Amino acid sequence: MQAKEAADRLGITQRILRHYEKVGLLDVRRTDNGYRIYSEADLRRAGRIRDFIATGFSTREILAMSACLSDDADGPCEGGIAQLTEKLAHIDRLRDELDTRRDAILDRLAKLKAELSN
């Protein structure tokens, strides 16, 4: 299928599909006149890429675990477990930092309100 239909099926833009190809995440077949033709396997791979990006992975991080994107694997991708675990730890650190900042703001807000009411 051509890029427009592929993008529509994935719920992304053609530009995003071209970006996946440009950074090396997708290798799409082309017709003699240069049009990209997406197979069902390409769509599954692009869908996995889209899902990883939606969960906070960068294209560089996804490229490092590109073996996990392919239909060629015989089962679950072991490298993906380490990458997902690392990403989860990173998210937890960010969450802790945000909680600390939130608590500091709540404390300052309470102090300001107390001062204003006096």
Side-chain angles (χ1 to χ4, degrees):
M1 83 187 57
Q2 291 187 346
K4 180 173 179 9
E5 183 182 352
D8 288 345
R9 279 189 50 190
L10 291 165
I12 59 177
T13 65
Q14 293 178 61
R15 183 175 180 210
I16 290 173
L17 281 174
R18 287 191 303 272
H19 177 69
Y20 293 170
E21 187 177 2
K22 181 180 176 182
V23 298
L25 290 169
L26 276 178
D27 185 21
V28 180
R29 189 173 64 85
R30 290 181 182 251
T31 62
D32 291 338
N33 60 1
Y35 288 107
R36 291 171 176 86
I37 299 294
Y38 294 86
S39 67
E40 289 299 320
D42 293 331
L43 290 181
R44 286 188 297 275
R45 184 178 181 96
R48 291 176 188 127
I49 294 165
R50 177 204 57 209
D51 294 346
F52 275 119
I53 287 173
T55 58
F57 283 85
S58 68
T59 53
R60 186 173 32 100
E61 290 170 320
I62 297 168
L63 194 56
M65 53 192 269
S66 61
C68 297
L69 301 172
S70 174
D71 286 348
D72 298 336
D74 290 336
C77 179
E78 287 184 30
I81 293 171
Q83 293 286 338
L84 287 167
T85 302
E86 185 178 315
K87 181 54 81 174
L88 185 58
H90 180 250
I91 289 170
D92 287 340
R93 283 190 303 274
L94 290 173
R95 188 176 177 183
D96 289 343
E97 289 174 17
L98 286 173
D99 284 343
T100 299
R101 291 178 187 177
R102 184 178 190 281
D103 290 344
I105 289 173
L106 287 171
D107 185 52
R108 288 182 186 148
L109 187 58
K111 287 178 183 174
L112 282 173
K113 286 181 178 179
E115 288 174 9
L116 287 173
S117 65
N118 288 336

